[in-house]
Amino acid sequence: MVNLLSDCIAANGETAKNYVFPPERRPPTSGKVDIPIIDLQEENSTKHILNAIQDFGVFQVINHGVSKDIISEAMKVFKEVFELPPEEKSKINMKEDINQFCRIYSSSYNFDSEKIHYWRDVLKHHCSPLEECINFWPQKPEKYREKVGTYVTALKDLGSRILGFISQGIGLEKEYFANELSEDNNLIVNHYPPCPNPSLTLGLTKHSDPNLITILQAVPLHVPGLELFKDGQWLSVSTVPDAFVVFVGNQLQVVSNGELKAGVHRVRNASEARTSAAFFINPSNECIVEPAKELVQAENNPPLYKAFKYEDFFKVYTGQEGDRHTILEDFGFKIKP
């Protein structure tokens, strides 16, 4: 039986000690920030995306081509899957293997060893190749696989378009990322149950994403949660309806040779439930990630990062408990001057 936070929240309003983060790991929120809104149908989309990344490490896109029906139907079944009886949710875990096609769990893969748990439940889908992985996804709610498969296909196409804008913006060919740098995709649905003491917990601690880019959707919009670390302070992120939030990840920072910075963020809890869907565009495990050779040929722009296998980086990333935003530098992937 899967033990999920949403199935066993105490009714007395207390928060268990192993969900309470020390004050230094949950500094207060200083204000709000409106991250740039990029209209993908405008002529200057590439310029606006690059400016947004360099200022924030994140942006939101509208007129992105993914229909409201596809978004709403997917977000509806995501919410419903966490409302299933525990015995139904347990069927999702075919085996205790973090590499299985679909898995549901609480907090993180390191639940048994971590000292403090995140206030969240997680449903992770492997999506590559989709025609194989989809057969292991939940069969309930009704038409889950059909609706989520349509959603994933749409986000994969959107991700390719966004990476095309970015690659051209930094001086690479439009199809630069149409290879093993972006051939592995995961969909992670985070459900943050109502929290009795949201000032004491975290849905996710300070981190930057390990991949190329992440495409994020969350509901409901009126429930706060996503926060950006900018200029030494935490700022609550405001988003617009039907937009996708796009985060730059560590691998895009490497490929761009540091020109693009990964967005550092966290998730705070609230007294109301909130559900988010994050689509990760990743390199394949065997992919060798390094600064693009086209960007480091000049003598005044030497490579800042060593070449490394993505699988090796990801093992370091997932094995790190706590803040993960400095892993590129802390674990020797950055070339010291």
Side-chain angles (χ1 to χ4, degrees):
M1 185 70 70
V2 179
N3 294 316
L4 296 179
L5 179 64
S6 52
D7 294 332
C8 58
I9 296 176
N12 59 10
E14 295 183 0
T15 303
K17 291 183 179 179
N18 56 355
Y19 285 92
V20 177
F21 281 81
E24 64 272 14
R25 292 192 62 190
R26 49 177 170 86
T29 307
S30 299
K32 296 182 179 181
V33 62
D34 295 319
I35 58 175
I37 301 171
I38 312 298
D39 186 337
L40 292 186
Q41 293 185 4
E42 287 188 354
E43 291 185 4
N44 293 327
S45 295
T46 298
K47 178 182 177 181
H48 295 323
I49 287 174
L50 266 290
N51 289 340
I53 293 174
Q54 290 164 350
D55 287 345
F56 297 88
V58 60
F59 55 95
Q60 52 187 323
V61 294
I62 59 173
N63 289 327
H64 41 63
V66 184
S67 75
K68 292 182 180 181
D69 287 344
I70 289 176
I71 296 171
S72 62
E73 289 179 7
M75 297 307 293
K76 181 175 181 290
V77 294
F78 292 149
K79 180 175 179 291
E80 289 175 349
V81 79
F82 286 100
E83 296 171 347
L84 291 171
E87 57 271 20
E88 286 294 333
K89 284 182 279 196
S90 290
K91 296 177 183 178
I92 297 172
N93 279 13
M94 308 295 286
K95 56 184 178 179
E96 290 300 317
D97 177 3
I98 66 172
N99 295 313
Q100 70 186 82
F101 292 107
C102 194
R103 188 182 180 202
I104 194 167
Y105 54 94
S106 193
S107 184
S108 80
Y109 283 145
N110 304 319
F111 185 90
D112 292 335
S113 61
E114 65 191 12
K115 296 178 182 178
I116 308 174
H117 304 314
Y118 302 131
W119 193 270
R120 68 163 185 167
D121 292 331
V122 185
L123 176 59
K124 181 176 181 179
H125 314 65
H126 282 280
C127 304
S128 303
L130 180 60
E131 61 274 13
E132 178 180 354
C133 297
I134 198 172
N135 295 315
F136 295 87
W137 294 357
Q139 298 188 63
K140 295 182 180 180
E142 186 179 358
K143 295 185 178 180
Y144 184 92
R145 293 177 179 179
E146 176 186 333
K147 293 177 179 179
V148 178
T150 301
Y151 181 77
V152 163
T153 300
L155 290 198
K156 184 175 181 180
D157 291 342
L158 174 60
S160 296
R161 289 174 59 204
I162 292 171
L163 284 172
F165 286 128
I166 293 173
S167 61
Q168 288 181 303
I170 60 176
L172 300 174
E173 294 292 331
K174 182 178 181 180
E175 302 300 321
Y176 183 87
F177 294 103
N179 53 36
E180 62 178 357
L181 271 169
S182 63
E183 69 180 20
D184 187 28
N185 307 137
N186 293 323
L187 174 68
I188 293 182
V189 182
N190 294 303
H191 179 65
Y192 305 97
C195 184
N197 297 293
S199 64
L200 303 179
T201 66
L202 285 173
L204 277 173
T205 191
K206 185 179 183 181
H207 70 288
S208 54
D209 291 339
N211 51 316
L212 277 175
I213 60 171
T214 304
I215 304 175
L216 179 72
Q217 181 85 40
V219 293
L221 287 180
H222 72 270
V223 178
L226 180 62
E227 296 188 347
L228 180 69
F229 190 68
K230 180 174 172 53
D231 300 327
Q233 58 184 341
W234 284 107
L235 303 171
S236 179
V237 173
S238 299
T239 58
V240 297
D242 303 315
F244 286 104
V245 176
V246 182
F247 276 97
V248 167
N250 295 137
Q251 307 314 308
L252 191 51
Q253 180 171 325
V254 172
V255 172
S256 70
N257 201 37
E259 180 178 347
L260 306 179
K261 302 295 184 181
V264 179
H265 53 291
R266 71 179 181 185
V267 178
R268 295 299 297 256
N269 300 113
S271 57
E272 293 183 61
R274 179 174 173 272
T275 302
S276 69
F279 184 71
F280 292 84
I281 297 180
N282 314 302
S284 67
N285 281 340
E286 298 300 314
C287 180
I288 301 300
V289 183
E290 60 185 334
K293 292 180 172 56
E294 296 88 334
L295 303 180
V296 297
Q297 292 177 349
E299 293 183 2
N300 60 353
N301 190 31
L304 299 178
Y305 298 93
K306 301 175 183 178
F308 56 87
K309 187 189 295 186
Y310 180 67
E311 182 179 30
D312 294 338
F313 172 84
F314 194 71
K315 285 180 180 178
V316 174
Y317 183 93
T318 54
Q320 172 81 358
E321 182 176 353
D323 297 346
R324 293 170 168 168
H325 63 290
T326 61
I327 284 180
L328 280 174
E329 287 76 13
D330 291 349
F331 289 85
F333 295 115
K334 188 167 185 176
I335 297 174
K336 297 181 179 180

